[in-house]
Amino acid sequence: MEKIIEVEGLKKSYGAVEAVRGVDFYVDAGTLFAYLGPNGAGKSTSIDIICTLLKPDAGKVLVDSHLLGREDDKIRSVIGVVFQDSVLDGLLSVRENLMMRGSLYGLSGEKLKRAVEAAAKAAETEDFLERPYGKLSGGQRRRADIARALVNTPKILFLDEPTTGLDPQTRQSVWETVRRLQKESGMTVFLTTHYMEEAAGADYVAVIDDGLIAAKGTPAQLREQYSSDHLRLVPRDAEALAQALNKEGYTYETEGGVFSLTVKRTLDALPVLKRCEELISGFEVLSGSMEDAFIGITGKEMRN
C-alpha cells in the first residue's frame, strides 16, 4: 500500500521543553489514521508541523511525496484541515466563507462555484449555505468547517478533535459524514480525538506520549497487547464463591454483589468458569476497550 505521509526523526523544542523528541510513523493512502495522546504529549505540535504551520528542529516529513520545508505550497494544495477552533468568519454566510476559502487556492468564476457546491454537498451543508456561520448550531458549524477543508478537494483530511463539545447524537451524525466521505472518495483521514469509540474505528493507531511514539498498531492489536478483559460472576452463594476464588489464588473485586476478575484474554475466563460453575448463577465477559489500552500504554486518562 502507498505511504501518503512519512515522518522520520521529527523533533521540536520550545526552549528547554522538548515537545516532540524523535517521532517516526507513516500513514497509508486511503486509510483512517488515529493519532492519540494525552494533553501535552506532542500531538498538536506534530500535526502543526505536518500541516506546514510550524517548522521542525529536525527530522524529515513527506506528504504525498512532497518534502516538508522545500515543497510546502504543494503540501498545502493536497491537504484540508478541520481545526479544534473554527477559523471561519461568524458574520459571513457559509457560502461566503467557502467562496473566500476557495479563492485562496486560486479558484474563480464557475470553477470556484462548482468547488463550493461540491464541498457543501459532501459535508451536507446545503440547507444552511446562506445562513451566517455565527448563527449555526454546533453540529452545523462542524459541517461547515469540514466543507471549508474540502473546497480544494484534498487527498488528506486532517481532523483535530472534530467532535469535541458536541452532543452524542450530533457527534454520530458528523462522524457518519466523515466516514461516507472517506468511503466515496478514497480520501486519507488523519484523526485526533478524545473519544475512544472514534479511535476504535480507525484502520491504524499511533499513540504519542511525552514526545515519543509509545505504541502503534491496529485497534485490535493494541487492545490485545495493552488491555485486559473482565469476567463478572453473579454468585449463588457469595461466601462460597469468595472461598473458592481465594483457594485458587484469583484476585477479584466485588460491587453490587457481583464478583469481577481481570483476565488477559477472553479464553482465560474458561478455567475460572469451570471451577466455579456450581457456585454462580450467571456470568459476563467484557472485552478490553481502546480506553483500557490507552491507559495501559500511557498510564493516563485521555483527558488528563
Side-chain angles (χ1 to χ4, degrees):
M1 190 174 290
E2 177 191 359
K3 297 175 183 177
I4 199 165
I5 299 175
E6 298 176 70
V7 177
E8 298 177 6
L10 190 64
K11 294 183 179 181
K12 180 65 180 179
S13 296
Y14 301 97
V17 178
E18 295 179 287
V20 178
R21 302 192 291 133
V23 165
D24 299 275
F25 66 85
Y26 65 86
V27 180
D28 287 324
T31 62
L32 171 57
F33 179 89
Y35 195 53
L36 308 180
N39 291 338
K43 185 171 70 264
S44 294
T45 297
S46 302
I47 294 171
D48 286 348
I49 291 172
I50 297 170
C51 293
T52 76
L53 300 176
L54 192 62
K55 185 177 179 179
D57 296 333
K60 178 182 178 182
V61 177
L62 288 172
V63 179
D64 195 30
S65 299
H66 304 307
L67 181 62
L68 181 74
R70 186 180 300 171
E71 302 173 286
D72 289 4
D73 285 343
K74 290 183 178 179
I75 291 175
R76 295 181 192 119
S77 72
V78 298
I79 67 173
V81 186
V82 177
F83 299 98
Q84 291 183 38
D85 300 316
S86 176
V87 294
L88 295 184
D89 191 317
L91 298 179
L92 298 180
S93 70
V94 175
R95 183 187 296 278
E96 289 167 337
N97 270 294
L98 297 183
M99 294 286 284
M100 182 179 296
R101 173 68 175 181
S103 67
L104 295 178
Y105 286 97
L107 300 175
S108 61
E110 281 300 313
K111 194 171 183 180
L112 174 58
K113 182 179 178 181
R114 288 195 300 271
V116 167
E117 290 175 350
K121 182 178 181 180
E124 299 179 349
T125 64
E126 295 168 295
D127 291 344
F128 48 88
L129 258 180
E130 310 306 331
R131 292 178 59 187
Y133 179 82
K135 299 293 185 181
L136 302 180
S137 68
Q140 289 172 331
R141 289 189 183 193
R142 260 318 179 206
R143 291 185 183 280
D145 294 337
I146 293 171
R148 178 198 61 81
L150 297 175
V151 167
N152 61 317
T153 317
K155 290 185 176 181
I156 309 165
L157 179 63
F158 287 85
L159 300 174
D160 194 1
E161 299 183 19
T163 59
T164 297
L166 301 180
D167 63 81
Q169 184 175 358
T170 304
R171 273 202 294 123
Q172 182 179 351
S173 178
V174 169
W175 195 240
E176 286 173 354
T177 298
V178 171
R179 287 191 172 282
R180 177 180 52 76
L181 281 171
Q182 187 197 17
K183 183 177 180 180
E184 292 177 355
S185 67
M187 180 187 300
T188 302
V189 177
F190 190 114
L191 169 74
T192 73
T193 181
H194 276 151
Y195 299 106
M196 289 295 98
E197 67 269 24
E198 294 179 352
D203 296 304
Y204 200 82
V205 177
V207 179
I208 184 172
D209 189 30
D210 195 24
L212 294 169
I213 298 297
K216 50 190 173 182
T218 66
Q221 288 169 339
L222 295 182
R223 287 196 301 267
E224 176 70 22
Q225 186 172 355
Y226 294 101
S227 71
S228 299
D229 294 343
H230 301 279
L231 172 62
R232 293 166 55 85
L233 304 174
V234 181
R236 295 181 187 276
D237 183 330
E239 184 176 349
L241 180 58
Q243 289 176 353
L245 293 174
N246 290 333
K247 182 179 179 181
E248 296 294 335
Y250 292 120
T251 300
Y252 60 88
E253 296 178 353
T254 59
E255 183 177 355
V258 176
F259 287 66
S260 180
L261 296 79
T262 298
V263 292
K264 184 59 181 175
R265 303 175 306 147
T266 301
L267 290 177
D268 293 338
L270 294 178
V272 184
L273 293 171
K274 186 175 181 179
R275 289 181 176 88
C276 302
E277 183 177 1
E278 301 300 324
L279 303 174
I280 62 175
S281 60
F283 72 91
E284 179 182 25
V285 180
L286 302 177
S287 298
S289 66
M290 276 299 295
E291 186 77 38
D292 296 330
F294 184 85
I295 294 172
I297 294 165
T298 67
K300 305 166 189 173
E301 296 280 352
M302 171 61 87
R303 293 184 177 274
N304 281 355

